[in-house]
Amino acid sequence: MPHARIPSLSRRGLLAAGGAVGLGAALAACGDDSTKERGADTGAAKSGPWSFEDDRGLTAKADSAPKNIVAFVGVAAALHDYGIEVKGVFGPTKTADGKPDVQAGDLDISKVEVLGNVWGEFNVEKYTGLAPELLVTAMWEKDALWYVPDQSKDKILQLAPSVALWAAQTTVPKAIQRHEDLAVSLGADVKAKTVTDAKARFEKAAARLRAAAKSQPNIRVMVGSASQDLFYVSLAKMSADTLYFQELGVRFVEPKVNAAGFFEELSWENVDKYGADIIMMDNRSSALQPDALTSKPTWAQLPAVKAGQVVPRTTEPIYSYAKCAPILEDLAEAIEKAKKVS
C-alpha cells in the first residue's frame, strides 16, 4: 500500500483500503508455483551460503542464514508461527495502552526492539545497533517497502539485505506459501506438528467457508473501514484476503470506486448507499471500531448493524496457516448464521 507515489490520495485513505490502494487494476500472478520454488530452493538454512529471491525478483544473499532479523511486525508474527524469531520490528506493534497491537499476533513484544510504531517512524540508529543481517517487510505496490520511510530508505537498505513479500496482487494461500518459503530458508521445520496441524485446520476452514457461501447465495458482504469523517467501501478483488474469499464463493458489495480503482469514500450521511447483510470492519488500530460509531445515527440504522451482523476484518492478515485459519472460520460462521436483511 503506497503512500508518496499517489499524491491524490490521503494517508488515511491509503490505510483504509486495506493494502489495495495504488496497485495496478490487474492482479499479477505473483506467488505462483515457480515463484514459490525460487525462494524455497535457494535457501540453505543449516550451513553454507544463504540466498532468497523475493517478490521484487531480487535475491538477498548472506554467508549463512541470517539470525539478526528485523521485520515489519506482521511478517515477524508470521515467521514466529514457523519458529523463526526476529530481533526488531517496525509498524503497528503496541496500542496506546502498551498492549500488543492486533498485527503483532503471538509475538512477545517485550522481547523485540520496536523501531517504529506508526507510519513514517523508523529509528535508524536503533536498527544499526541491532547489527541487522536481514530486513523483511510486506509489499503492497511493486518495489515499495511497507513501513520503510522513503526519506531514510536508502540508508536503511545499505545496512543489510532486504526481502519484500507481496501482501497484495496475490491471495491468502499464495501469500502464506511465500512466507513459509522464507521461513524454511531461515531454518524453519514446516513438518513440525504445529505447522501441519495449522495447515490442516486452514484447509478445513476454507472448505467450510466455501460451503457456507454456497448455502447462503443471497448474502452480500460489505468491506468497510471507518474514520471520523468518511466510511470507505473496498472492492473485494483488490486485496489478498477478500479476493480469496471471493474465489471461495463469498458475494461482496461492489462499490463505485474512485479514480484509483480500489475503494469508494462515503460521507456518513451516505453510508447507507449499499445494501449489505454482513459488514466486515477493518480491525486495525488505525481505523475506528464499531463501538466508536454509536454516535453516528446513519451507522446505527444500517440493517446489518441493527441485525448484529457486523464482524471484524483482519485487513492485514498474518500470513501463516495458524493465523489465517481462524479468519476463514469466523467468516464462515458469520455467513452460516446471517439473515437476509438488505
Side-chain angles (χ1 to χ4, degrees):
M1 192 189 320
H3 51 290
R5 297 188 182 187
I6 306 182
S8 62
L9 296 177
S10 69
R11 173 183 172 276
R12 175 70 193 104
L14 293 168
L15 291 173
V21 180
L23 302 174
L27 292 169
C30 298
D32 62 13
D33 290 342
S34 61
T35 304
K36 297 174 199 172
E37 291 169 1
R38 287 200 304 264
D41 291 347
T42 56
K46 293 184 179 179
S47 62
W50 173 89
S51 65
F52 184 86
E53 184 174 347
D54 74 358
D55 292 346
R56 295 171 295 180
L58 301 180
T59 301
K61 298 180 180 181
D63 292 338
S64 59
K67 299 298 182 184
N68 287 356
I69 303 167
V70 174
F72 172 69
V73 63
V75 178
L79 292 175
H80 171 83
D81 286 349
Y82 287 102
I84 303 298
E85 304 300 339
V86 305
K87 298 290 186 181
V89 297
F90 54 95
T93 305
K94 299 179 180 180
T95 58
D97 58 5
K99 294 180 180 179
D101 189 275
V102 65
Q103 293 183 247
D106 291 333
L107 285 177
D108 184 343
I109 62 172
S110 69
K111 294 183 178 180
V112 293
E113 186 76 59
V114 180
L115 304 180
N117 198 56
V118 298
W119 186 269
E121 185 178 88
F122 191 113
N123 191 312
V124 180
E125 185 177 352
K126 285 185 178 180
Y127 179 60
T128 304
L130 292 174
E133 297 172 334
L134 179 65
L135 176 79
V136 190
T137 192
M139 183 169 63
W140 298 95
E141 181 190 23
K142 181 67 173 176
D143 298 330
L145 303 184
W146 193 222
Y147 272 81
V148 176
D150 284 344
Q151 62 268 29
S152 53
K153 180 180 68 174
D154 291 345
K155 185 174 183 179
I156 291 167
L157 294 182
Q158 289 175 358
L159 297 172
S162 63
V163 163
L165 298 178
W166 276 118
Q169 303 201 40
T170 186
T171 62
V172 171
K174 291 177 181 179
I176 291 175
Q177 183 61 59
R178 289 297 286 147
H179 285 70
E180 186 172 287
D181 290 344
L182 176 60
V184 168
S185 81
L186 295 170
D189 178 10
V190 293
K191 294 182 180 179
K193 189 174 187 301
T194 54
V195 177
T196 57
D197 284 354
K199 184 175 183 179
R201 180 182 174 185
F202 176 87
E203 292 170 346
K204 183 178 179 180
R208 180 182 174 185
L209 180 54
R210 187 186 296 276
K214 186 176 182 180
S215 70
Q216 291 265 54
N218 295 321
I219 296 297
R220 291 294 183 272
V221 180
M222 182 162 66
V223 183
S225 184
S227 71
Q228 190 60 43
D229 299 322
L230 293 170
F231 184 79
Y232 301 84
V233 182
S234 291
L235 189 61
K237 69 178 183 179
M238 304 310 290
S239 294
D241 60 332
T242 46
L243 172 60
Y244 182 52
F245 303 155
Q246 203 167 43
E247 290 180 351
L248 292 174
V250 178
R251 281 101 176 149
F252 287 95
V253 166
E254 295 192 5
K256 295 181 180 179
V257 295
N258 61 18
F262 302 95
F263 63 86
E264 181 176 2
E265 299 159 310
L266 299 177
S267 67
W268 283 104
E269 289 77 11
N270 296 314
V271 74
D272 60 353
K273 180 176 180 178
Y274 298 105
D277 306 296
I278 295 173
I279 303 176
M280 297 180 68
M281 289 293 288
D282 186 348
N283 75 338
R284 295 172 297 176
S285 54
S286 58
L288 292 181
Q289 298 307 301
D291 59 3
L293 303 177
T294 55
S295 63
K296 297 186 180 296
T298 50
W299 167 260
Q301 291 303 310
L302 293 177
V305 175
K306 294 170 72 172
Q309 295 177 176
V310 178
V311 298
R313 177 197 176 198
T314 304
T315 306
E316 292 188 51
I318 294 167
Y319 288 114
S320 68
Y321 290 114
K323 292 298 180 293
C324 289
I327 295 173
L328 300 181
E329 292 167 347
D330 290 346
L331 182 55
E333 181 178 6
I335 293 174
E336 289 163 354
K337 293 181 177 180
K339 296 178 180 179
K340 183 67 179 176
V341 295
S342 64

